[in-house]
Amino acid sequence: MSKVKSTSQRNDTRQELIRVGTEIIAQRGFNTTGIEAVLKTAKVPKGSFYYYFASKDDFGLAVIDQFAAEYMHELDEFLKDKSASPLTRIRNYLEAGVAAMTGCACSRGCPIGNLSQEMANQSEKFRARLEQVFLSWKRRLAECLEEARQAGEISPESDVEQLAEFLLTGWEGASLRAKVTRSVKPMEDFIEIFFTRVLR
Amino acid sequence: MSKVKSTSQRNDTRQELIRVGTEIIAQRGFNTTGIEAVLKTAKVPKGSFYYYFASKDDFGLAVIDQFAAEYMHELDEFLKDKSASPLTRIRNYLEAGVAAMTGCACSRGCPIGNLSQEMANQSEKFRARLEQVFLSWKRRLAECLEEARQAGEISPESDVEQLAEFLLTGWEGASLRAKVTRSVKPMEDFIEIFFTRVLR
């Protein structure tokens, strides 16, 4: 075998490090995640980390980008599902979030929310990237709410940008509370109040 | 001077360690806060930490208790202010939160929210203590909302427990967003929607 790694081998290993990193960061946070632990779990030789990433920060940002891309894909599956009305799509997306939280026994929460809490204050690079991710989600939700407005599902005077911001903000808060109460009730309460009071 | 510290000296030093710890934990999180850094900043001799605290966890829990007691005192000042109507008291409390966040240029957020994000998953002791704190705040807010209900400021059918949970949850989410956007707008939007849509 050649000592020079092929581009696809390099990409596979890089992806594996990101996958393992996402798991470990979800459990411990970014600051306390050691590069050695990531390499060991991914069974990648010690010392080769800098072949794949310029720095630990670069690695963290790659984890954010990867998660953001996957999540946006999922979000689109819900929000572009033309078989359901715009509001039903948003509800389906939120209900899937409740199911996912139930699936992990309320131990995870949103990696972007977690990293925001931990890093927004410590690194301008992380803060700016996390803000971009939030804004991309908000844009998609605002588009779907605009469809709901045009379809007459919500009041024609609705400020869809403000509602999208409120939805994301409240949902992050509810996911955090779910972790602390070890129950999805705060998420269910949020959904109920959002649909019956905020959007009515 | 006697080598035996008096009880009041011991309490003063313990308080100073908690005060400094609260600051450092707010900046870096609990896991990456080193006991040495706390001792150094508080100008307390190395090695005497365990005279004041049984463990680093014990120290972290003391930081939570101290903050929770101070915050409850502040919350009571707003919520028991009989010169204002129950809903005005809640609004005054939230507006003060916006002012505090403006004062720190959106760099802090709520220590209880921050620690929840970081620790709920890692330590059952921390999770349970943080949950107690949330529940004590929720109880106070529910009491004030019940006063508002009885005074006819909100609908008689309102579920004040659910509304209090929603308020706390949304407020934590909005504080987190304020840190990431470096703006209090998410908090202001939350207040507006809470009063005009959720409580209407």
Side-chain angles (χ1 to χ4, degrees), chain A residues 26-29 31-32 106-110 113-118 120-122 124 127-128 130-131 134-135 138 155 157-159 162-163 165-166 168-170 172-177 179-182 185-186 188-190 192-194 197-200, chain B residues 26-29 31-32 106-110 113-118 120-122 124 127-128 130-131 134-135 138 155 157-159 162-163 165-166 168-170 172-177 179-182 185-186 188-190 192-194 197-200:
Chain A
Q27 286 158 28
R28 304 188 195 166
N31 285 317
T32 46
C106 301
S107 68
R108 286 300 179 78
C110 165
N114 295 353
L115 281 169
S116 297
Q117 192 68 279
E118 184 183 1
N121 215 359
Q122 288 177 27
E124 176 54 26
R127 190 201 65 76
L130 290 160
E131 173 66 353
F134 268 115
L135 290 181
K138 181 179 155 185
S155 146
E157 289 86 37
S158 302
D159 179 342
Q162 192 189 42
L163 287 173
E165 174 79 43
F166 185 85
L168 260 185
T169 292
E172 284 291 338
S175 309
L176 170 58
R177 278 291 292 150
K179 269 169 60 178
V180 182
T181 63
R182 287 269 185 267
K185 187 151 190 313
E188 290 169 343
D189 281 352
F190 177 83
E192 187 189 329
I193 291 186
F194 187 73
R197 291 178 175 257
V198 178
L199 291 183
R200 76 178 167 184
Chain B
Q27 285 159 28
R28 304 188 196 165
N31 285 317
T32 46
C106 303
S107 67
R108 287 299 180 78
C110 164
N114 294 353
L115 282 169
S116 297
Q117 192 67 278
E118 185 183 0
N121 214 358
Q122 288 177 27
E124 176 53 26
R127 190 201 66 77
L130 291 160
E131 173 66 354
F134 267 114
L135 290 180
K138 181 180 157 184
S155 146
E157 289 85 37
S158 301
D159 178 341
Q162 193 190 43
L163 287 173
E165 174 78 43
F166 185 85
L168 260 185
T169 292
E172 285 290 337
S175 309
L176 170 58
R177 277 292 292 149
K179 270 169 60 178
V180 182
T181 62
R182 287 269 186 269
K185 186 150 192 310
E188 290 169 343
D189 281 352
F190 178 82
E192 187 189 328
I193 291 186
F194 188 71
R197 292 177 174 259
V198 178
L199 292 184
R200 75 179 168 184

Side-chain angles (χ1 to χ4, degrees), chain B residues 77-196:
Chain B
E77 282 195 1
F78 287 103
L79 301 186
K80 297 193 169 169
D81 171 14
K82 300 289 176 188
S83 74
S85 80
L87 279 201
T88 305
R89 291 176 222 161
I90 292 178
R91 189 185 274 275
N92 289 344
Y93 157 66
L94 298 174
E95 299 285 1
V98 174
M101 194 59 120
T102 304
C104 72
C106 303
S107 67
R108 287 299 180 78
C110 164
I112 299 299
N114 294 353
L115 282 169
S116 297
Q117 192 67 278
E118 185 183 0
M119 301 300 294
N121 214 358
Q122 288 177 27
S123 158
E124 176 53 26
K125 233 187 218 172
F126 274 74
R127 190 201 66 77
R129 190 74 63 97
L130 291 160
E131 173 66 354
Q132 272 175 13
V133 176
F134 267 114
L135 290 180
S136 67
W137 295 348
K138 181 180 157 184
R139 204 171 309 121
R140 287 296 211 281
L141 287 165
E143 282 164 13
C144 196
L145 287 164
E146 176 59 24
E147 282 189 65
R149 202 182 66 81
Q150 285 178 13
E153 281 191 291
I154 59 173
S155 146
E157 289 85 37
S158 301
D159 178 341
V160 296
E161 289 288 326
Q162 193 190 43
L163 287 173
E165 174 78 43
F166 185 85
L167 172 54
L168 260 185
T169 292
W171 196 235
E172 285 290 337
S175 309
L176 170 58
R177 277 292 292 149
K179 270 169 60 178
V180 182
T181 62
R182 287 269 186 269
S183 149
V184 292
K185 186 150 192 310
M187 298 170 88
E188 290 169 343
D189 281 352
F190 178 82
I191 294 174
E192 187 189 328
I193 291 186
F194 188 71
F195 283 96
T196 60

